[in-house]
Amino acid sequence: MRRLLPEPAADADPYEAYGDAPALRIGMVMSADGSVTDDEGWTDRLGGEADFRVFRTLRALADAILVGAGTVRTGRLGPARLRADLRERRGGPPAPIVVVSRTLDLDWSLPLFTAAETPTIVVTSRAALARHAPPVRAVAAGEEEIDLPAAVRLLREEFPRLLCEGGPALTTSLIREGLADELCLNVAPTLYGGGPRHTRLLGELPAEVRLRPAAVYEDEGVLFLRYRLRT
């Protein structure tokens, strides 16, 4: 990985480059024209191995990993794992995945819930929790709907450094509520154009959100952009 900004460097270590993790960081990959899904409707092939290296690094640096229920319902999200080298640098097992779900309408037989080395957690409302008793630890924030600011506050009491991996609905909500400190946006050297399988990075925001570039890296044609959010 090469660092382009702020000072060029020929060989940057991703773990050190992203080591100053803020309270809530968003990590996403997209094509150069803004799609977060490929022709098959998934993110897997967008950034290739270079993206996966940073993806794994961000997970190793986080205390908990936030994902939306829609991402879980695809069935493609497995339990968090760490390579031996990242486990050693982290000094322990992977961070738990925290699923944000309004309805708790989830497949509890998925390995994410049954085979995670670090048990998965769900965040929901008190009303949903009264209707369902999930087989994993649950955090209630809000009465009828999820109170996202309250959920983040509760989680950060135990997990100081949160990483959100999307999807777009959860990412948009975190930015809309002014809860995100940093956007780590990995831009793949690919164009897809429009199409039913191509999901955009964000949904609608009520107002402009200003970003401050903090660093730019490049690896295998993928641009790795770190933005501080001005919310």
Side-chain angles (χ1 to χ4, degrees), residues 15-206:
Y15 199 88
E16 294 182 0
Y18 289 88
D20 56 336
L24 201 160
R25 164 185 275 170
I26 294 170
M28 299 283 280
V29 60
M30 72 174 190
S31 66
D33 58 342
S35 176
V36 296
T37 49
D38 58 25
D39 281 334
E40 296 183 2
W42 310 111
T43 63
D44 301 33
R45 298 183 302 170
L46 272 177
E49 184 55 34
D51 171 63
F52 279 122
R53 281 193 288 272
V54 170
F55 169 82
R56 290 188 290 260
T57 297
L58 294 184
R59 282 192 162 196
L61 290 165
D63 297 315
I65 302 160
L66 302 179
V67 298
T71 300
V72 175
R73 292 190 186 105
T74 66
R76 295 171 66 92
L77 181 67
R81 296 184 175 88
L82 283 179
R83 295 185 326 202
D85 60 323
L86 289 175
R87 181 184 291 262
E88 181 178 356
R89 297 182 80 169
R90 175 181 171 82
I97 289 179
V98 179
V99 182
V100 181
S101 174
R102 182 177 59 85
T103 64
L104 292 180
D105 180 19
L106 300 166
D107 182 354
W108 302 107
S109 68
L110 291 172
L112 176 66
F113 300 112
T114 63
E117 178 182 358
T118 306
T120 298
I121 301 168
V122 295
V123 168
T124 191
S125 67
R126 292 181 181 85
L129 204 54
R131 293 190 296 268
H132 304 280
V136 299
R137 177 184 170 191
V139 173
E143 296 300 330
E144 295 297 324
E145 298 292 334
I146 296 174
D147 183 336
L148 203 51
V152 169
R153 285 195 302 270
L154 287 170
L155 289 170
R156 290 202 62 243
E157 290 177 2
E158 184 176 353
F159 308 109
R161 300 176 300 176
L162 301 176
L163 168 67
C164 174
E165 294 181 350
L170 177 58
T171 300
T172 301
S173 295
L174 290 170
I175 294 175
R176 183 187 298 123
E177 295 285 351
L179 299 171
D181 300 292
E182 181 177 84
L183 172 62
C184 296
L185 187 57
N186 306 345
V187 182
T190 307
L191 297 172
Y192 283 113
R197 288 183 175 270
H198 297 140
T199 304
R200 311 308 291 179
L201 178 70
L202 294 176
E204 186 175 352
L205 293 171

